[in-house]
Each structure stands twice: as C-alpha cells, then as structure tokens.
C-alpha cells in the first residue's frame, strides 16, 4: 500500500487524537499544534521529510506514541508545557525531543534509538526525565544550552536514564546551563551552539 503524505495543523483549538497515524509526510511538520491544549494517545508518525510533531505555545500530553524515520526533529516544543509517557523514537536525523523558549517538559518511560541528539533543552526550558533508554546517538544523549540569548540558560534533570555503548557524548551542558544525570551534576563546558 503506498504511503500518503498528510499534514495537519491546529491553531487556538483544543486537540485530542487517539489511534491516528501520519505516514510519508512531505510538509514541514507532520503535525503542527499552535496556542492549543492537546492530548495525543496511541499514535504513530513515520517517514517524514522534516519534523514529526511541532507544538508552539501549547499545553498537553503525549502517551504511547511512536516516531520513526524522521527527517528533522521527532518532537519540537517551543514555549510549551508538555508531558510525554511511553514514547518510542527511532531513526531521527536531528533531535528526538527538543524543548525551547522557556517552558517545562516532563518525559517518562522514553525509548530513543538512532538519533542525532536524544533530549535537548534550550533557551530557559526545563526538561525533567524519569526513565529513559538512549541507544545509538551521533552527537549527545542529553544537551542543555542557549541558542537565543534573550531567553537564558536551560536545564535537564534526568533520573533512571540508561545509555547504550554507542552514545558518543552522553550528557553535555553549555557553560551557564546545567544537566543533572542520575543525581550527579555534569561539568559544563563551552559549546558552539551553531552546530545544533
């Protein structure tokens, strides 16, 4: 059966989806939610040209979600507060989870395989990770940094995180930002954010 390219966008509307799949999307985002409250359950996004899910200034939850073969970021949060539970991400060109522009993201029971960066928190965002398996990462497992100086430093507090041998740099914290991994602070360092 041929894959169908689908794009769906919501702006200022509450969004609730269950048992929905997006396959073969050629648009900038397979699913784009803006200024909305959302709940996404038992969904799949696969084979996208760019980002899988983009949430801008939203609040909501994502449960039992699968992302695979994603050309950009699997999940990109900007100015959003979100909770993810039971999410599996594999085959992502860029970041599995990207949180930015000063909000909070809570990640539980996360499985990440074959990505550029597993979890990135930037620009005054706070990511809380409670249980994650991170395997085969090209750049870093966890990263906190500033890309837009107007926002300021970011943080990641990660507990119950296990890294596979193929993760080249497990945690990276830019000077001024911080990462706490399984109760141990990561030494910050200078970071060229233009690479990310």
């Amino acid at each position: 059966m041929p894959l169908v390219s689908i794009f769906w966008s919501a702006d200022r509307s509450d969004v609730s989806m269950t048992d929905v799949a997006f396959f073969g999307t050629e648009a900038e985002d397979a699913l784009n939610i803006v200024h909305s409250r959302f709940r996404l359950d038992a969904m799949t996004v696969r084979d996208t040209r760019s980002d899988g899910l983009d949430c801008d200034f939203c609040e909501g939850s994502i449960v039992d979600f699968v992302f695979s073969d994603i050309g950009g970021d699997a999940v990109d949060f900007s100015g959003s507060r979100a909770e993810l539970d039971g999410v599996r991400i594999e085959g992502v060109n860029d970041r599995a989870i990207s949180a930015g522009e000063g909000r909070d993201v809570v990640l539980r029971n996360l499985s990440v395989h074959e990505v550029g960066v597993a979890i990135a928190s930037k620009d005054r965002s706070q990511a809380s990770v409670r249980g994650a398996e991170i395997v085969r990462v090209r750049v870093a497992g966890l990263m906190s940094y500033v890309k837009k100086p107007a926002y300021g430093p970011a943080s990641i507090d990660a507990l119950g995180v296990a890294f596979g041998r193929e993760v080249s740099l497990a945690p990276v914290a830019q000077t001024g930002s911080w990462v706490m991994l399984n109760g141990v602070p990561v030494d910050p360092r200078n970071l060229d954010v233009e690479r990310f």
Side-chain angles (χ1 to χ4, degrees), residues 4-47:
V4 177
S5 179
I6 296 173
F7 167 78
W8 191 80
S9 179
D11 188 359
R12 300 186 189 280
S13 301
D14 289 352
V15 177
S16 179
M17 292 184 179
T18 302
D19 295 322
V20 176
F22 293 85
F23 295 145
T25 304
E26 293 292 323
E28 184 176 346
D29 308 307
L31 176 58
N32 181 239
I33 303 173
V34 181
H35 291 285
S36 302
R37 290 178 299 184
F38 67 90
R39 181 170 176 88
L40 309 175
D41 292 309
M43 293 178 58
T44 300
V45 174
R46 189 177 76 207
D47 188 27

Side-chain angles (χ1 to χ4, degrees), residues 121-196:
S121 180
K122 60 188 187 294
D123 303 331
R124 212 177 73 242
S125 287
Q126 300 176 31
S128 174
V129 184
R130 296 297 180 264
E133 175 193 52
I134 299 174
V135 179
R136 291 191 294 278
V137 173
R138 294 182 300 279
V139 179
L142 307 173
M143 291 188 76
S144 63
Y145 57 98
V146 176
K147 194 160 189 177
K148 299 177 181 176
Y151 285 93
S155 65
I156 298 175
D157 180 17
L159 288 173
V161 176
F163 294 100
R165 289 191 305 270
E166 304 86 354
V167 178
S168 57
L169 292 171
V172 177
Q174 182 188 42
T175 301
S177 294
W178 62 270
V179 172
M180 184 77 71
L181 175 59
N182 297 328
V184 178
V186 172
D187 290 334
R189 63 186 179 90
N190 292 329
L191 194 62
D192 180 7
V193 297
E194 295 306 316
R195 294 173 50 209
F196 311 107

